[in-house]
């Protein structure tokens, strides 16, 4: 066993996430440098333990519920924003065009909806799993996925600065 | 970490009752999230109960105060809720959850970079910044010992805070969220070996800079 192999596992061992294997224990028993390093890591970990985080406050759940209700109260909020996003707006317009086209084609042809069924009823509700609902879901998650790009961003930053 | 036993009868940790369909069965969080997708509100409540404490803790150490930490943790849950319809269990649930949390925390840190309030704490008041009370239950600490302890706490917090962003995230996830290399690597989109060396460097820096307090 080489010193390097055991050293890279030291943060996990010192944090108590994993135990040293038999081979590693043997090495630690005979290598003062590694044993000393592990002891240092353990001291640092013990020190870091002192930094405790507070429990969530009693208002946490209440406030979260309120924010969730707010969230549920604006189900169609995404609609207007679509038209501000060129790509989505184009896609939506296209879909609507196709939808209207299909409706009238089918209306005149084989499929004829009953006389009491209006256009408004047909377009009023969005079927789950339809192209429109997929677009809605896409829009809702745009924010989330846009944020994920930030993680890629992190990699650009270098750590050299703080660790000379 | 991902696999929680959902027992409706089991008390405290996730304490919310699940729908009868789920009670008494074992589900992974990813499976619970798929229940949220079908509109099961109790499944969402379960995830909130299970992760509120770790997320508030994570955000507390990333942000600088308790109020912001709670706000950010709530925002994570709102985003989880918002994306329920498109959630795909391709990654471990906690990886996905911490990716959302990490993004929010990093954004917040960048937005508030210039607000660095000087920490003022008195010995017997809970510290706004660290959230800790410096009073010791059995009262065995003298005022001077309490002062030393306070200094040490502030130093720990500041040194962790001073680490480069990715190192800080890695240390917080590793030390305080008990996440392993593999998971941290997935959240940060790094290789496992890069994560190991990142953590190693971070702890080396902390050890060096906190030497006087050991
Ligand atoms: Zn060695």
């Amino acid at each position: 066993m080489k010193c390097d192999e055991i050293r890279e596992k030291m943060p996990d061992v010192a944090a108590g996430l994993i135990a040293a294997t038999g081979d590693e224990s043997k090495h630690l028993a005979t290598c003062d440098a590694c044993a000393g390093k592990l002891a240092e890591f353990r001291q640092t970990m013990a020190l870091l333990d002192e930094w405790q985080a507070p429990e969530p406050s009693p208002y946490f759940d209440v406030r979260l519920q309120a924010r969730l209700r707010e969230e549920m109260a604006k189900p169609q909020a995404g609609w207007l924003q679509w038209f501000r996003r060129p790509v989505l707006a184009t896609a939506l317009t296209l879909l609507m065009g196709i939808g209207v086209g299909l409706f009238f084609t089918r209306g005149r042809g084989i499929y004829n909806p009953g006389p009491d069924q209006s256009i408004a009823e047909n377009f009023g509700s969005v079927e789950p799993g339809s192209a429109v609902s997929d677009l809605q879901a896409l829009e809702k998650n745009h924010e989330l996925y846009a944020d994920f790009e930030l993680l890629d961003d992190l990699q650009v930053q270098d750590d050299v600065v703080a660790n000379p | 970490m991902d696999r929680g036993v959902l027992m409706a009868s089991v008390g405290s940790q996730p304490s919310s009752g699940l729908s009868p369909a789920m009670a008494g069965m074992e589900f992974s969080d990813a499976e619970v999230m798929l229940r949220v997708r079908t509109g099961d509100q109790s499944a969402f409540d379960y995830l909130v109960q299970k992760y509120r404490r770790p997320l508030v803790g994570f955000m507390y150490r990333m942000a600088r105060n308790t109020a912001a930490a709670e706000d950010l943790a709530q925002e994570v849950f709102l985003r989880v809720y918002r994306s329920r319809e498109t959630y795909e269990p391709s990654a471990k649930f906690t990886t996905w959850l911490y990716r959302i949390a990490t993004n929010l925390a990093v954004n917040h840190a960048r937005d508030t970079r210039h607000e660095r309030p000087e920490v003022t704490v008195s010995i017997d008041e809970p510290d706004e910044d660290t959230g800790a009370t410096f009073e010791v239950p059995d009262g065995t600490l003298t005022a001077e010992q309490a002062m030393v302890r306070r200094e040490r706490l502030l130093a720990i917090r500041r040194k962790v805070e001073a680490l480069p962003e990715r190192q800080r995230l890695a240390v917080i996830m590793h030390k305080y969220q008990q996440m392993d290399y593999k998971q941290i690597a997935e959240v940060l989109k790094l290789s496992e070996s890069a994560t190991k060396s990142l953590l190693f460097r971070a702890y080396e820096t902390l050890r060096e800079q906190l030497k006087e307090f050991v």
Side-chain angles (χ1 to χ4, degrees), chain A residues 1-4 6-7 10 27-28 30-35:
Chain A
M1 164 136 301
K2 288 184 190 132
C3 296
D4 284 352
I6 188 164
R7 288 205 184 185
M10 278 186 190
H27 178 91
L28 287 166
T30 53
C31 177
D32 285 348
C34 283

Side-chain angles (χ1 to χ4, degrees), chain A residues 2-62:
Chain A
K2 288 184 190 132
C3 296
D4 284 352
E5 287 171 43
I6 188 164
R7 288 205 184 185
E8 69 170 21
K9 289 175 77 179
M10 278 186 190
D12 267 2
V13 176
L17 291 175
I18 54 168
T21 63
D23 277 355
E24 287 159 1
S25 300
K26 264 183 225 157
H27 178 91
L28 287 166
T30 53
C31 177
D32 285 348
C34 283
K37 194 91 216 150
L38 183 60
E40 282 175 3
F41 263 112
R42 288 205 163 115
Q43 282 177 332
T44 306
M45 293 295 179
L47 200 60
L48 291 174
D49 277 335
E50 288 190 36
W51 188 19
Q52 297 292 315
E55 291 291 316
S57 74
Y59 310 106
F60 184 86
D61 293 318
V62 181

Side-chain angles (χ1 to χ4, degrees), chain B residues 154-172:
Chain B
L154 287 181
I156 294 166
R157 210 204 56 178
R158 283 189 180 141
K159 297 305 176 190
V160 174
E161 222 173 62
L163 290 171
E165 211 161 50
R166 271 195 304 179
Q167 289 190 23
R168 181 156 61 113
L169 283 161
V171 164
I172 291 173

